[in-house]
Amino acid sequence: MGRGKLRIYLGAAPGVGKTYAMLSEAHRRVERGTDCVVAFVEHHDRPRTEVMLHGLEAVRRRELEYRGTVFTEMDIDAVLERRPTVALVDELAHTNVPGSRNAKRWQDVEELLKAGIEVVSTVNIQHLESLGDVVESITGVRQQETVPDEIVRRADQIELVDMSPQALRRRMAHGNVYKPDKVDAALSHYFRPGNLTALRELALLWVADRVDEYLQQYRGEHNIRSTWQARERIVVGLTGGPEGRTLIRRAARMAAKGSGSEILAVYIARSDGLTAASPKELTVQRTLVEDLGGTFHHVIGDDIPSALLEFARGVNATQIVLGSSRRKTWQYIFGPGVGATVARESGPDLDVHIVTHEEAAKGRGLPVARGARLGRSRIVWGWLAGVAAPILLSVLLTALHNTPGLANDVLLFLFLTVLAALLGGLRPALASAAVGSLLLNFYFTPPTHTLTVSDPKNLVAIVIFFAVAVSVASVVDLAARRTHQASRLRAESEILSFLAGSVLRGETTLDALLERVRETFSMESVALLERVSDVEPWTRAGSVGPHPVDRPESADVDMPVGDHMALALSGRVLPAEDRRVLAAFAAQAAVVLDRQRLVGEAEQARALAEGNRIRTALLAAVSHDLRTPLASIKASVTSLRSDDVEWSEEDQAELLEGIEHGADRLDHLVGNLLDMSRLQTGTVTPLMREIDLDEVVPWALGGVPENSVELDIPESLPMVAVDPGLLERAVANIVENAVKYSPEGRHVTVAASALGARVEVRVVDRGPGVPDDAKDRIFEPFQRHGDAPRGAGVGLGLAVARGFVDAMGGTLAAEDTPGGGLTMVLTLTVASGREPVRPEPPARSLT
């Protein structure tokens, strides 16, 4: 029995029609004779969805009682007993009621798939586990019900159910998604056009990435090396020269012409030491690529054209952008260049664009900085020019009837010696001088074909030739060495200059610096190790690359930094001349580490300074507000104790009422001050437990006048996980603030509703409202927006409320009230043991 197939309808938001599409597919399969049943589908009282259930066989649900309420869940045993060909299972990310066999519905689906049953399911993009933080940053709502990405990614088919934000909002306004009394709140909160547009983009991009994964997998399984131009991928070849910025911008303009195009900038470095490019220029180009939405890649390869084409084909690129060569005309005698080679070998599946720039044909401004180490190809050519070329020249000259003469023959052999020195260095040149001397003696000095010299003048000529050849070869080799050394020192100076500048400016993090070390020296991994003393074990302060070492002794190269710190590199053994630059990197790494730790200490000091500022502001702010109720109490008590005046019972009652009112104000102020102090010092520890809102919210209204608040807390709301005491204080402060700013005769509305895995409490007033730029500022301590018509305070009520709500894992935000005023939205998490009561649509709309 094989594993069943999984088909998923993916949507960007509730209401786009995932369940409707799934039921439509079920009807098509039933018409074709497929055994298809409804294992669990939630229609949320949506008429059109409910109609689609007609004509489909439904498997009985399992009833579970939890906390006095009966819930229904999918009955896995009943589905397995029925053994249909296809089972419809709605809401893949749903959390099952406690007492179920599995905690999550996707685990139920896994059981059905293992039993060989094909499953068709639905899920929204916001319920994917990897996108939780992204969705929260967009919508301000943390999704509690999630499904692992791998479960959705393993689906045999993923179909995107798409709808424009405008069309979805119209569908909601017509009452096709939520009940009319829930539409306004939904449209003004979660279903704003910006939220829906961002969620739609997330869904489209996620599906596009999955399609790309399937395409890459198919190409790999069928060993397809040619490029399939299903998506424009533009590879930009960088040399580290100044023309790189022009190429990147040109590629960005090309990518902008096609939706979904991708830019990949690649720099290919040789594997034999320091890179030839300017690190500063490469960093600038990397930043430019990332700012334009592309990616930067660092590849090691000695054959640059082959490495570039291999990379392009590996990422299924469609276009390659290269710059015109910076070489001068005479330099083309060494080869056609990278651009021409790539264009010749790219084949019909890759378009190569050669872009002109200001640096074209001006010469390479960044010489290869590899010391005196020559490449293998140059050494081979040097030996050929020094040994094989003199032999071929001898054969050519002896074949001529009229030889050019001994003097010209000596000059020709001397040219080959100089050429051997230029190509292969001193040793091929010395070999060329020796071979040339023997050939001149044997073939061109009488008597020929012998090693004897009859004429002393010819002997002197051969000796002078050998001496001049050796001298010229030595000078040429010395000049070449000095050129290479100068190039290397220039590369080193650029690296060290940029390194010092970036560290001093604070632009380089430790990881970025270690990555620079890894790229510069072509290493596999780099780690900065430290220990407290000589007897303590080593610990990694930072590392990059796979499998970093834990001890300096295990590394291929280690560079001590002081007594208890070392930079450890793995990948290859560095030559001695590279260790000087490595030592500078190691010293800078220690500086960066110290700076990061100092920044951390500075943040702690800043926090302490902020605490001192708060305490200073506290003393300044309460100097009046604390003394005012004290003065009122003092005056009333003094009047009552006065023997000069005979107070009536009404006057005494009024004075006592003033004392009570002042004491209440004083108690409220002191309570807020103590709460703010606890929040600032981080000593608020919520005692979380499950509770109904109607047990807490009414108690929070004791401090406001009667008939000033309208309360709407449905009994069907799910329980929430909160600290009752903190929640009561938070709601009391919010309501008191709303009542204080509401006009006379207008009530403050406190309403609650369930939406997915959260409960929202909305406190609505019809006061003057708050501008958008001040909505966050009103939650800061000692902030009072506008004039309070009634009452007074130090501006701590909303700050304390938000602090308490944050401590309980909820959110508190301010919104405009339609028609004028301010709405405070308090969002709480549904208790894990209880789900919203069905069939209330908003309570299940996001699951």
Side-chain angles (χ1 to χ4, degrees):
M1 180 177 58
R3 178 181 173 88
K5 293 184 178 180
L6 175 62
R7 178 170 184 168
I8 293 179
Y9 286 91
L10 177 69
V16 295
K18 302 179 302 302
T19 305
Y20 190 92
M22 178 180 67
L23 295 175
S24 299
E25 173 66 18
H27 280 286
R28 287 192 292 270
R29 297 198 182 198
V30 170
E31 292 174 0
R32 295 195 297 264
T34 304
D35 183 15
C36 181
V37 302
V38 176
F40 187 96
V41 171
E42 186 67 69
H43 56 75
H44 299 303
D45 285 342
R46 296 169 186 170
R48 297 185 180 182
T49 305
E50 189 174 1
V51 168
M52 293 298 294
L53 287 170
H54 297 165
L56 297 176
E57 178 186 351
V59 178
R60 70 175 187 274
R61 298 186 182 185
R62 182 184 178 190
E63 294 185 351
L64 295 171
E65 183 176 353
Y66 183 72
R67 295 185 179 273
T69 304
V70 177
F71 299 91
T72 60
E73 294 288 359
M74 181 174 65
D75 193 334
I76 303 176
D77 294 327
V79 179
L80 293 176
E81 181 182 352
R82 171 65 175 77
R83 290 202 63 81
T85 303
V86 180
L88 307 182
V89 182
D90 204 6
E91 300 178 349
L92 187 62
H94 168 72
T95 300
N96 292 330
V97 173
S100 303
R101 180 187 304 179
N102 299 308
K104 290 285 190 176
R105 183 165 292 163
W106 62 263
Q107 295 170 329
D108 298 338
V109 170
E110 282 293 305
E111 285 196 35
L112 298 180
L113 294 174
K114 291 179 182 178
I117 299 175
E118 185 175 345
V119 176
V120 182
S121 187
T122 64
V123 71
N124 282 329
I125 191 68
Q126 65 264 30
H127 294 299
L128 294 181
E129 199 167 75
S130 66
L131 299 178
D133 295 339
V134 179
V135 173
E136 183 179 10
S137 65
I138 294 172
T139 65
V141 178
R142 181 68 180 185
Q143 299 296 329
Q144 301 299 325
E145 293 189 330
T146 60
V147 58
D149 288 44
E150 186 61 26
I151 300 299
V152 182
R153 191 179 288 112
R154 287 206 310 261
D156 299 276
Q157 295 183 59
I158 300 177
E159 183 171 335
L160 178 65
V161 182
D162 189 26
M163 177 175 287
S164 68
Q166 294 78 10
L168 178 56
R169 286 172 60 85
R170 283 197 302 269
R171 175 180 289 185
M172 294 186 63
H174 294 159
N176 295 331
V177 180
Y178 294 154
K179 290 182 178 180
D181 59 336
K182 305 293 183 182
V183 171
D184 290 340
L187 290 176
S188 63
H189 186 53
Y190 192 88
F191 290 85
R192 292 192 293 264
N195 288 0
L196 296 178
T197 302
L199 292 173
R200 187 188 189 198
E201 183 178 14
L202 276 180
L204 291 170
L205 291 175
W206 194 90
V207 172
D209 288 340
R210 300 293 76 74
V211 173
D212 192 56
E213 285 182 6
Y214 298 148
L215 179 61
Q216 294 292 350
Q217 180 181 355
Y218 180 85
R219 284 165 50 85
E221 291 174 352
H222 294 78
N223 197 26
I224 299 174
R225 301 294 297 165
S226 60
T227 300
W228 286 6
Q229 299 184 1
R231 182 180 182 182
E232 290 290 344
R233 284 189 175 86
I234 304 173
V235 171
V236 185
L238 301 178
T239 65
E243 77 281 1
R245 306 182 203 180
T246 302
L247 303 184
I248 294 170
R249 294 189 177 98
R250 182 71 179 91
R253 291 195 296 272
M254 294 169 59
K257 296 178 180 179
S259 178
S261 298
E262 192 175 349
I263 304 175
L264 302 93
V266 57
Y267 170 71
I268 300 174
R270 298 183 183 274
S271 60
D272 56 353
L274 290 170
T275 59
S278 166
K280 180 179 180 179
E281 185 64 32
L282 274 181
T283 302
V284 172
Q285 293 173 15
R286 179 199 293 264
T287 304
L288 177 60
V289 169
E290 293 173 350
D291 289 343
L292 293 174
T295 56
F296 183 90
H297 303 267
H298 188 278
V299 177
I300 304 297
D302 292 321
D303 189 346
I304 294 178
S306 298
L308 181 60
L309 288 171
E310 185 69 21
F311 174 83
R313 293 192 176 101
V315 298
N316 196 28
T318 57
Q319 302 181 57
I320 298 178
V321 176
L322 299 174
S324 299
S325 178
R326 287 184 284 138
R327 295 191 299 177
K328 294 183 180 297
T329 304
W330 63 268
Q331 291 178 314
Y332 283 95
I333 62 175
F334 298 108
V338 174
T341 304
V342 170
R344 184 181 67 248
E345 299 179 0
S346 62
D349 54 347
L350 269 174
D351 297 333
V352 180
H353 303 268
I354 305 297
V355 179
T356 59
H357 50 86
E358 296 180 353
E359 301 297 325
K362 291 185 178 180
R364 296 187 65 86
L366 295 170
V368 178
R370 290 183 289 145
R373 299 192 302 274
L374 301 174
R376 181 178 299 178
S377 60
R378 285 192 58 179
I379 294 176
V380 171
W381 282 105
W383 281 102
L384 290 176
V387 177
I391 296 175
L392 293 177
L393 180 61
S394 300
V395 173
L396 179 63
L397 292 176
T398 54
L400 297 176
H401 296 289
N402 297 321
T403 60
L406 182 61
N408 291 326
D409 294 340
V410 170
L411 292 177
L412 290 174
F413 279 96
L414 183 61
F415 169 75
L416 294 178
T417 301
V418 174
L419 182 61
L422 290 173
L423 292 175
L426 182 60
R427 292 182 180 180
L430 294 178
S432 177
V435 172
S437 299
L438 293 175
L439 293 175
L440 283 171
N441 185 7
F442 191 81
Y443 288 103
F444 305 105
T445 304
T448 57
H449 304 293
T450 65
L451 295 179
T452 60
V453 180
S454 59
D455 190 347
K457 294 181 180 179
N458 292 336
L459 179 61
V460 172
I462 293 175
V463 172
I464 292 176
F465 161 76
F466 183 79
V468 171
V470 172
S471 300
V472 171
S474 300
V475 172
V476 171
D477 180 72
L478 181 62
R481 288 176 180 272
R482 292 292 183 264
T483 300
H484 288 307
Q485 290 175 1
S487 301
R488 182 184 181 82
L489 291 174
R490 176 182 174 183
E492 290 182 4
S493 64
E494 287 181 350
I495 292 173
L496 297 177
S497 175
F498 172 70
L499 178 65
S502 62
V503 172
L504 290 175
R505 290 190 301 269
E507 299 174 354
T508 303
T509 62
L510 181 59
D511 289 343
L513 180 61
L514 296 181
E515 182 64 27
R516 172 63 60 193
V517 174
R518 191 177 72 87
E519 292 181 359
T520 299
F521 296 99
S522 302
M523 288 293 182
E524 293 181 0
S525 63
V526 179
L528 182 63
L529 307 176
E530 64 175 348
R531 59 181 178 180
V532 179
S533 63
D534 295 336
V535 298
E536 294 293 331
W538 291 94
T539 59
R540 281 200 299 263
S543 63
V544 295
H547 311 298
V549 298
D550 295 322
R551 298 185 306 161
E553 296 81 7
S554 304
D556 294 317
V557 181
D558 70 283
M559 176 60 62
V561 187
D563 296 332
H564 302 127
M565 189 176 292
L567 192 64
L569 292 78
S570 298
R572 66 187 181 92
V573 179
L574 289 180
E577 55 265 30
D578 285 350
R579 294 184 66 87
R580 180 175 64 254
V581 178
L582 182 60
F585 270 109
Q588 293 288 16
V591 172
V592 170
L593 181 60
D594 290 340
R595 185 177 60 81
Q596 287 185 352
R597 289 173 175 172
L598 289 175
V599 168
E601 294 176 359
E603 288 295 331
Q604 295 178 359
R606 189 175 295 110
L608 293 175
E610 179 66 16
N612 290 332
R613 187 190 68 80
I614 291 292
R615 284 189 287 272
T616 302
L618 171 66
L619 294 175
V622 304
S623 59
H624 170 73
D625 294 274
L626 282 178
R627 292 165 63 183
T628 299
L630 284 175
S632 175
I633 295 172
K634 175 67 174 176
S636 298
V637 171
T638 302
S639 299
L640 288 174
R641 296 188 60 185
S642 175
D643 297 332
D644 301 333
V645 180
E646 185 70 25
W647 300 102
S648 65
E649 293 183 0
E650 291 79 5
D651 293 336
Q652 292 180 4
E654 184 178 353
L655 290 174
L656 290 174
E657 183 180 357
I659 294 174
E660 184 179 11
H661 178 69
D664 289 341
R665 285 185 57 192
L666 189 60
D667 179 69
H668 181 73
L669 287 172
V670 172
N672 275 337
L673 293 174
L674 292 177
D675 291 338
M676 198 67 223
S677 175
R678 292 167 59 200
L679 290 171
Q680 292 291 334
T681 56
T683 57
V684 176
T685 304
L687 300 177
M688 309 291 287
R689 66 184 183 91
E690 300 177 3
I691 195 170
D692 287 317
L693 280 179
D694 54 10
E695 297 180 21
V696 179
V697 175
W699 288 97
L701 308 182
V704 297
E706 294 184 4
N707 301 322
S708 62
V709 177
E710 291 183 354
L711 193 60
D712 181 15
I713 307 293
E715 296 182 358
S716 60
L717 284 178
M719 301 180 74
V720 292
V722 296
D723 182 318
L726 296 184
L727 178 60
E728 180 183 341
R729 291 296 305 278
V731 174
N733 284 359
I734 297 171
V735 172
E736 288 176 8
N737 184 79
V739 170
K740 180 170 59 178
Y741 284 91
S742 291
E744 292 287 349
R746 300 298 298 271
H747 295 93
V748 171
T749 302
V750 179
S753 61
L755 190 61
R758 68 185 191 276
V759 171
E760 287 186 350
V761 178
R762 290 177 169 265
V763 181
V764 183
D765 69 61
R766 297 294 179 176
V770 176
D772 291 339
D773 58 353
K775 282 187 171 63
D776 286 331
R777 195 166 62 248
I778 61 177
F779 293 104
E780 297 177 2
F782 311 111
Q783 296 293 326
R784 298 175 62 189
H785 181 74
D787 296 327
R790 296 186 300 275
V794 294
L796 288 176
L798 293 181
V800 170
R802 171 173 277 190
F804 283 170
V805 173
D806 290 343
M808 293 183 293
T811 60
L812 178 61
E815 297 179 358
D816 291 328
T817 300
L822 189 68
T823 298
M824 290 291 178
V825 183
L826 193 160
T827 304
L828 302 171
T829 304
V830 172
S832 59
R834 182 175 173 185
E835 292 294 321
V837 177
R838 296 186 180 91
E840 188 178 34
R844 302 290 297 173
S845 59
L846 292 182
T847 54

